[in-house]
Structure formats: structure tokens, C-alpha cells
Amino acid sequence: MSFDPDDLGSNPSDNPDLQQVIAQRFSRRSLLQGGLGVAALGFLGGGSAALLTAGPASAQAVPAAWRGSSPLLGFKPLKVSTLDQVVVPDGYSAQVLIPWGTPLMSTGPAWKKDASNTAAEQAQQVGFNHDGMSYFPIGGSSTRGLLVLNHEYVDQVMLFPDGDAVITAEKVKKALAGHGVTVIEVRMDNRGRWTHVDSTSNRRITGETPMAFSGPVSLSHPMLQTSDPVARGTLNNCANGQTPWGTYLTCEENFNGYFGTEDTSFTPNALEARYGIRKETTTLSGGGANPNAGKVLDFGYRWYTADARFDLAKNRNELNRFGWVVEIDPSKPDSVPVKRTALGRFKHESVAMTESGGRVVAYSGDDENRDYVYKFVGSRAYSTILAEEKSPLDEGILYVAKFNADGSGVWLPLAHGSGPLTTANGWADQADVLIRTRLAADAVGATKLHRPEWISVDPRTKDVYLTLTNGSGAPTVSGRDPDVYGSIVRWKETGGDNTALTFAWEPFLLAGDPQKDNRTTVTEASRFGSPDGIWVDPDGRVWIQTDISNSVQRAGAYERIGNNQMLVADPDRKELRRFLVGPNGCEITGIAVTPDRRTMFVNIQHPGEDTRAIGTPTAADPRKVSNWPDFDPTGRPRPATVVIRKQDGGVIGT
Ligand code: FEO
Ligand code: CA
Ligand code: CA
Ligand code: CA
């Protein structure tokens, strides 16, 4: 089963498309070379002009010695790898920590390698498919802290002893327990080895944990009414964020993929359609009658066949309880997670938080082909709001980005009463605007993007980096249509103030393989594609994690790129080096460091998943693609965290 349905897109608006905008910018390169001022040139500087005028990548010199030219990148770059293991540079180690099924407490249920743990046992174990992650130091420590991590989805072939041919209510319960978030205390010994430890902080938040709603949309809103007065759970927790007040933010991404119905009398309304709910057509795309015609299929979980909560015809509004950013306080194990509705409802990939003048700014991309990027700006200093025992994430304005061809950009407010979002136009109030965020963004004229994934703010410069993983169906940069490799865009808010309503942007790099596509701006040695996770460290290193879909990994355009990987870029020289490569069938996602940055945590998600170029795992042979990390001849692959250490104890990346 492929879990990469995001590239379908569900945006029918005729808003401008960033690829058209970038193409226009590239066509202006002679203008830029001529030195004529445009609004954005103040930001662009020398390095960017070089990018804008770059020819085929063969013209770029590959560093003769591994030390290269960047003083930031102090490690020997890796070659591509197709090994079924985690590969790190010379002088580094990678240790497996808290794989799926690890009991949270030493007295908890042991993981069973035949996947026969029950739903109740799974709820006391680390969940499946680790994703975004933060490290919360205890007392500022770099050897003791709480690791908080998301579990984006479950692979039901791996999760159940008999696979997923039959879905039962007990299986739905186990799958829900495999989702959500883990909070677990971890410590390092004096030999640099990390372990998880028993702690009163250890907890699981799952697809069934009761949730609160806060901000303009309350749980009592008519569009959130279901047969259950309690809002249960968080789903498809992709990437994350961390607030300045010590809480964790988890993002609900592809929530539509959990809902479906066999009731052909159900027809999605315009709002549901815009969030990806579709009836099956009468004919298959390849021709022939569609046996599911008129039904709404989910992404393959089929929970709606065993649990009415996920059946759209029976519980339509359950869908509207998802698509939010959820705040969790890891220091309070009994606290109820809160859905922070002021940040909008869409397929939130991640939340990148910063502050300016004491006000919070939270950036978040909507990961769908031809959807948008947003930012929330707090209305007052967050310390003032906290002192009133209120949430800084409940008071502020949500904006959506418009990118202009001249390198300028503007943030458009999604505020009730402003622009087209008026009562006369059918927008009832701010809650209505937020529940229908995508439609509000369509109405104000936001710029479509090719699957905006993670965002990170450079802590030195306040520049904002955004990965656009890949996309299709639009005129693209240098004729790349579909853009199978993706790109990274960055911008500077006017005056370096992240609350500003205008910005200057540029393409930072265009991913690719120079032997397959001479429009890429990366070299032969650092060829890569499908950037997803991104984090700019305090020295400015840009850490980039890839998520090449298992449907295209190691074949075609990705034939020479190997397994998914993590690279590091110099933000000024744009030199790029491969730092880590994962095992077969995985993606690399999630990145967290200790305060001293001498330990880095990275997640290996979905090792061994169905990979077209390798094979299809089954209940009888779950090891078909990978058997990482246990390599037990009768076991199965397990998503896990890996701990990266430099053997000399130095800062990671130096
Ligand atoms: Fe969960 Fe867009 O990755
Ligand atoms: Ca992702
Ligand atoms: Ca992705
Ligand atoms: Ca993923």
C-alpha cells in the first residue's frame, strides 16, 4: 500500500502557482545579472545571484578534497547507499533507541516480534512510525531529558500477525494505539550510550486520548458535533514544533485518509472535497468498471468498516475535529492535550516557532500538491499572555503567503471581516474561517506550492527555509514538470522582523541528479531529491532530510540516489554534503539535539515498507524489504530513533 497520496491535490482555485512564479523569476535572470534593482535584491546578495545564473551542474566544481570550502561542514561526506543499515560519516556512531513496541516502563509489556501484542499493550509501548521529535532537557541537561516524538501512521502489514486483509474492531484499537505521541525520559551514561528510563513523565498520547479545543473554534461548534461529546485523539502526527514556554506542538497532517464510507448515498460537500474527501468514480483510471464506484475510500486503513467513528455517512463531523496543531505539556503527565484552533485547519506538516519583539510567530505548511504556506502572528507579547494564564497560541492572526515574481512576497490575513472573508460573502465568524482555512486562503489569493513540508527559521539571521518536496501538474522551474526532485525556498521578512507582512524570497536550491536533470543546482556528489525535514542549527548548518516515495525510490529519476538520507548545506556557499543514509524502504525524518549539540536524535520511519524497486512485504514475509534494526530472522523491521554521536564527543556536524 502506498502512503503517499498527497500529490493528488484538491485545490481547484485559479490562484497563482509558485512554479509559474519561479519560472518568471528565472526568466528575469538577465535583468538580475544586469544589476537592475528589484525589491528583493537587498536579500539576495552574491550567493543567490550565483544560483540564479547557474548553468548545468557540470559547470560546478565538486570539491577535490572532502574538506571542501565550507568551514561549517567538518565531516567526510557519504556516498549514496543502498545498504539495509544506517550509515554515518567516519568518526560518528549511530545507536538505535526506542524502536516501535519498546515498553515505556520496565514493568510494561515486552514487544513481541510476531506483532501479537494487543491494543492495550501497544498503548503502553512506543508507537509506530516515528516522525517529528523534540528533546526537552531536564534542568538544562545534555545527558538527561524528555524525548517527545510523533507516530505518524501505522503499516498494518507490519502491525498485525496476519496482516491487514481483515480489519476488526480490536485491530482498529491497536492501530489507534500505535498513533499519536510518545513522551519518554532518556539518559546518557558516561560512555556516551543513551537509554530510556522509567519515569513518571513517560506517557503515550494516542488516537483515543481525550483532547481539549481552544481558540476561536470550540468543541461546541455545530460543525464539530458528533455522537461522542469527547474529542478523541490525534492522528497522522507528522512533524512538530516547540514553544518558548516549554511545550510540544504536534501537527495533524493527512487526517482525511482515515475516513471513508461504503454508503454510496454519502456525497462530500465543497468543504470536505477541498480537504480530500472524494467519491470513487464509476470507471477505473485504467479503464473498466470500478467496483468501489460511489464509495469514499480512505488511504487503505479501512477502519470505517469496523468502527463507525471513521464512517463519514454515520459520523460526518468527526472529520472536522482533525487538521489542527495540538499542544502537549511534557512536564505535566496528566495534562490534556489542546487543539490550538487559531493556527488554522489544514494538513499541517510542522510548526516552526520563533518570536519577534516578544510576539510569537508560527510558520506551517499545508502538505498537499498546490497548497499553501501559513504563519500565525501573536497579538501581544507571549510573556504577558502567559502571565494572564492564557495561551499565546489563542490570540493572534493567521496569514497565508503570496509569492510575487519579482522576489517580493506578502502575508494575506485570514481574519473574519477582512478582504473577501465577510459575512456578506458567507463567512459567519472567525471560527468559520478557521474550520474552512483552505477555502479562506483560496479566497484571498494565496500562492500554490509544490507540497510545502517542513519550515525552519535560521536562529542567526531569522531567514525562513521551506522544503517543497515535489509536485506535478504545473509549469515548473526550467521546464521540470512534474518536479520530481523538489526544491528549497527561503525568505527574509522585511526588516528581519518575523511579524512583518512583506518579505523577500529566493529559491535556495533545486534538488536533483545532475546526470538526469541539468537544471538541478546540486552537484553529482550531493545528488538528492524530495526534501522534507529541515532544521537550521545555531551555527547556520541547514540539515535536510529526504522522503523519496517508496513508489519511486531507487528507480527512474531516483535510480542513482539510493536510500533516503540526511544532508547538510552551508547557507551562504550552498555547499551540500550527505551526512546519513537510512536502511531500505525508510524515510529520514525528525531531528532533535541536546543543548550542547553533542548528541543528535534522528528518526528512521517505515523501514521495510512496500518499495516498488525492492519488493512487497507480507504477513508471511514482513522482512522482504528490510529487517532493520534487529535483523532477527523471524522478526520484522521496526521504526526507531537513532542517536548520532561524534566519537571524539564534539558538536555534531563540525
Ligand atoms: Fe508527513 Fe508531509 O510528511
Ligand atoms: Ca514529512
Ligand atoms: Ca514527505
Ligand atoms: Ca512519512
Side-chain angles (χ1 to χ4, degrees):
M1 175 191 306
S2 167
F3 280 92
D4 195 47
D6 315 302
D7 55 359
L8 293 172
S10 57
N11 184 348
S13 76
D14 54 9
N15 284 350
D17 182 297
L18 181 60
Q19 301 310 323
Q20 293 166 324
V21 172
I22 292 177
Q24 288 171 43
R25 280 212 74 193
F26 271 68
S27 73
R28 294 170 67 99
R29 71 176 97 166
S30 57
L31 175 71
L32 291 164
Q33 281 172 311
L36 298 177
V38 292
L41 268 181
F43 169 58
L44 291 174
S48 330
L51 181 143
L52 287 166
T53 57
S58 56
Q60 298 181 354
V62 177
W66 66 262
R67 196 148 278 283
S69 63
S70 170
L72 273 182
L73 311 180
F75 59 91
K76 182 178 178 179
L78 298 174
K79 293 182 161 47
V80 297
S81 167
T82 53
L83 300 173
D84 191 23
Q85 57 184 254
V86 172
V87 186
V88 290
D90 291 350
Y92 283 83
S93 63
Q95 178 209 334
V96 174
L97 189 72
I98 57 166
W100 160 51
T102 301
L104 292 194
M105 304 291 277
S106 55
T107 52
W111 183 69
K112 293 181 179 169
K113 64 182 180 182
D114 64 355
S116 63
N117 285 113
T118 63
E121 288 171 343
Q122 174 66 78
Q124 301 170 65
Q125 299 170 330
V126 171
F128 204 91
N129 271 349
H130 306 30
D131 206 318
M133 168 173 57
S134 294
Y135 174 88
F136 292 86
I138 295 175
S141 177
S142 288
T143 60
R144 182 183 173 208
L146 297 179
L147 206 54
V148 186
L149 60 150
N150 294 341
H151 301 290
E152 188 182 30
Y153 67 93
V154 293
D155 181 333
Q156 297 186 148
V157 171
M158 302 293 180
L159 191 71
F160 306 124
D162 62 344
D164 70 342
V166 176
I167 295 298
T168 64
E170 164 70 12
K171 282 182 165 178
V172 175
K173 280 195 165 303
K174 183 175 181 185
L176 285 163
H179 279 74
V181 175
T182 292
V183 180
I184 193 163
E185 185 174 333
V186 291
R187 291 192 202 185
M188 190 182 82
D189 66 19
N190 54 18
R191 299 195 336 268
R193 294 280 302 176
W194 285 80
T195 50
H196 68 282
V197 297
D198 286 355
S199 163
T200 53
S201 297
N202 291 0
R203 100 184 260 205
R204 281 299 320 285
I205 289 150
T206 73
E208 296 200 287
T209 305
M211 302 270 145
F213 273 72
S214 191
V217 182
S218 71
L219 186 56
S220 62
H221 192 283
M223 289 177 72
L224 271 62
Q225 297 315 298
T226 73
S227 56
D228 190 344
V230 179
R232 292 188 198 277
T234 182
L235 290 171
N236 214 261
N237 302 84
C238 187
N240 63 311
Q242 225 171 323
T243 66
W245 50 95
T247 60
Y248 182 78
L249 300 174
T250 183
C251 295
E252 297 180 338
E253 193 194 9
N254 289 303
F255 60 93
N256 61 310
Y258 295 84
F259 295 88
T261 188
E262 299 195 320
D263 183 343
T264 55
S265 71
F266 174 86
T267 297
N269 61 31
L271 174 65
E272 291 159 344
R274 186 66 180 83
Y275 283 82
I277 302 297
R278 280 184 202 87
K279 276 168 98 80
E280 290 291 298
T281 52
T282 52
T283 48
L284 295 167
S285 55
N290 185 349
N292 293 310
K295 298 178 186 175
V296 177
L297 302 185
D298 67 4
F299 286 180
Y301 304 102
R302 287 169 286 124
W303 297 352
Y304 60 87
T305 62
D307 184 345
R309 179 182 166 197
F310 299 99
D311 186 326
L312 289 163
K314 294 177 179 153
N315 228 346
R316 183 169 206 150
N317 285 345
E318 182 71 12
L319 183 74
N320 297 332
R321 293 178 169 185
F322 294 91
W324 305 104
V325 172
V326 185
E327 184 176 17
I328 296 167
D329 187 345
S331 73
K332 296 192 176 76
D334 297 324
S335 58
V336 175
V338 183
K339 299 204 175 187
R340 294 292 177 198
T341 63
L343 275 63
R345 176 170 173 264
F346 49 89
K347 294 187 178 183
H348 287 277
E349 173 76 16
S350 73
V351 186
M353 288 212 66
T354 187
E355 58 95 18
S356 183
R359 293 154 72 195
V360 293
V361 179
Y363 295 94
S364 190
D366 184 353
D367 181 8
E368 184 107 43
N369 192 26
R370 311 186 78 185
D371 253 293
Y372 309 129
V373 67
Y374 298 81
K375 80 170 175 183
F376 170 86
V377 178
S379 56
R380 297 184 289 153
Y382 72 84
S383 56
T384 307
I385 300 173
L386 287 171
E388 295 171 4
E389 299 191 342
K390 295 176 184 165
S391 171
L393 297 176
D394 287 348
E395 290 183 34
I397 297 176
L398 185 67
Y399 298 87
V400 67
K402 182 172 192 292
F403 293 74
N404 298 317
D406 67 357
S408 66
V410 58
W411 291 102
L412 304 167
L414 301 179
H416 183 253
S418 104
L421 306 177
T422 60
T423 308
N425 284 338
W427 298 92
D429 53 20
Q430 186 61 19
D432 187 28
V433 168
L434 292 165
I435 293 170
R436 299 193 284 151
T437 301
R438 280 185 168 181
L439 291 164
D442 292 345
V444 301
T447 302
K448 294 172 185 168
L449 300 161
H450 273 174
R451 296 190 55 197
E453 299 242 32
W454 287 43
I455 298 169
S456 184
V457 181
D458 184 331
R460 307 162 313 147
T461 63
K462 297 287 194 168
D463 292 351
V464 187
Y465 289 73
L466 164 67
T467 54
L468 299 173
T469 198
N470 55 57
S472 60
T476 57
V477 179
S478 307
R480 293 210 302 195
D481 185 17
D483 184 3
V484 298
Y485 295 112
S487 64
I488 299 175
V489 164
R490 68 177 171 186
W491 63 88
K492 184 182 285 297
E493 305 277 12
T494 300
D497 173 0
N498 293 86
T499 68
L501 300 187
T502 55
F503 59 93
W505 67 275
E506 64 154 357
F508 175 59
L509 58 81
L510 309 181
D513 173 350
Q515 285 198 21
K516 302 252 186 195
D517 185 337
N518 66 9
R519 277 83 39 121
T520 180
T521 61
V522 304
T523 63
E524 164 74 11
S526 57
R527 58 192 186 270
F528 82 106
S530 297
D532 189 336
I534 192 164
W535 177 61
V536 186
D537 78 21
D539 296 327
R541 284 179 206 87
V542 185
W543 298 82
I544 300 161
Q545 301 176 317
T546 73
D547 174 19
I548 306 160
S549 166
N550 295 65
S551 62
V552 297
Q553 224 178 85
R554 289 165 54 168
Y558 283 98
E559 188 180 10
R560 303 176 62 251
I561 290 178
N563 290 345
N564 273 310
Q565 53 201 263
M566 181 165 74
L567 307 98
V568 195
D570 180 309
D572 303 315
R573 298 166 195 248
K574 297 185 175 173
E575 188 182 330
L576 190 63
R577 292 192 189 183
R578 191 176 294 107
F579 180 86
L580 177 150
V581 186
N584 293 343
C586 81
E587 98 181 55
I588 307 300
T589 184
I591 183 166
V593 293
T594 52
D596 65 6
R597 283 188 282 138
R598 292 167 197 272
T599 296
M600 176 181 281
F601 303 93
V602 170
N603 284 327
I604 308 297
Q605 190 185 81
H606 62 75
E609 191 171 85
D610 186 357
T611 303
R612 193 171 295 169
I614 305 176
T616 299
T618 60
D621 184 12
R623 299 165 294 279
K624 181 77 177 173
V625 173
S626 170
N627 200 8
W628 186 89
D630 298 341
F631 300 104
D632 183 322
T634 57
R636 59 192 57 223
R638 302 166 78 184
T641 301
V642 292
V643 182
I644 313 297
R645 296 269 302 165
K646 204 172 177 186
Q647 282 156 2
D648 68 4
V651 171
I652 308 301
T654 60

